């Protein structure tokens, strides 16, 4: 089984900081997308939980699709919110992306290392890619 890393080198976090991890790693038909926050060009996008949730999920989806996976391949999502009151709003956005193929999910409240409201990561599986 080979391991392929996506987005190694060139990834930047807040303030242009170089990030020491891959955006995603593929192994044996599985794709693990690193946690994504609502960032564009290394900066957190301002906005409420709806806007930030949409961008965090879209950042994951973009990485996943660049690696050749689809929304139907998502088997598990981890969600970190900074406030439990964001849960209903996050769920509305989540349905926009996953209504047709709902994955398993965990959602918890946690402090995040960047100043934003949400972080999301995805795990995907595609049997055809496991061959």
């Amino acid at each position: 089984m080979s391991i392929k890393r996506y987005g190694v080198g060139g990834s930047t976090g807040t303030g242009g900081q170089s990030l020491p991890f891959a955006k995603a790693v593929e192994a044996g038909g599985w794709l693990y997308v690193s946690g994504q926050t609502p960032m564009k060009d290394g900066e957190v996008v301002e906005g409420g939980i709806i806007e930030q949730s949409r961008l965090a999920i879209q950042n994951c989806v973009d990485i996943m699709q660049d690696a050749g996976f689809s929304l139907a391949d998502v088997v598990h999502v981890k969600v970190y919110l900074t406030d439990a009151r964001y849960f209903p709003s996050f769920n509305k956005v989540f349905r926009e992306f996953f209504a047709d193929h709902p994955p398993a999910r965990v959602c918890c409240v946690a402090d995040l290392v960047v100043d934003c409201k949400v972080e999301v990561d995805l795990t995907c599986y595609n049997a055809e890619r496991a061959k």
Side-chain angles (χ1 to χ4, degrees), residues 11-17 19 37-45 114:
S11 295
T12 56
T14 55
Q17 171 186 324
L19 299 177
T37 56
M39 281 193 186
K40 279 188 182 177
D41 303 320
E43 296 298 326
V44 173
V45 173
V114 295

Side-chain angles (χ1 to χ4, degrees), residues 5-8 11 19-26 31-37 56-61 63-64 77-78 80 119-124:
R5 291 169 172 80
Y6 298 89
V8 177
S11 295
L19 299 177
F21 53 85
K23 287 183 180 182
V25 175
E26 181 180 356
L31 181 74
Y32 302 89
V33 177
S34 293
Q36 298 298 306
T37 56
I57 295 171
Q58 188 62 56
N59 286 343
C60 286
V61 169
I63 293 166
M64 172 193 78
V77 177
K78 289 191 254 2
Y80 306 92
E119 183 170 347
V120 178
D121 76 45
L122 304 176
T123 302
C124 304

Side-chain angles (χ1 to χ4, degrees), residues 1-102:
M1 172 176 64
S2 64
I3 296 174
K4 184 171 182 179
R5 291 169 172 80
Y6 298 89
V8 177
S11 295
T12 56
T14 55
Q17 171 186 324
S18 178
L19 299 177
F21 53 85
K23 287 183 180 182
V25 175
E26 181 180 356
W30 292 91
L31 181 74
Y32 302 89
V33 177
S34 293
Q36 298 298 306
T37 56
M39 281 193 186
K40 279 188 182 177
D41 303 320
E43 296 298 326
V44 173
V45 173
E46 294 297 320
I49 187 61
I50 297 287
E51 295 83 9
Q52 287 201 1
S53 297
R54 195 170 283 126
L55 183 56
I57 295 171
Q58 188 62 56
N59 286 343
C60 286
V61 169
D62 290 346
I63 293 166
M64 172 193 78
Q65 289 176 335
D66 286 346
F69 288 75
S70 72
L71 284 171
D73 297 325
V74 178
V75 295
H76 192 260
V77 177
K78 289 191 254 2
V79 180
Y80 306 92
L81 301 172
T82 58
D83 191 319
R85 294 173 291 186
Y86 297 153
F87 188 70
S89 296
F90 179 84
N91 280 338
K92 288 178 185 176
V93 175
F94 190 83
R95 276 188 198 96
E96 293 174 13
F97 286 88
F98 298 107
D100 294 335
H101 306 285

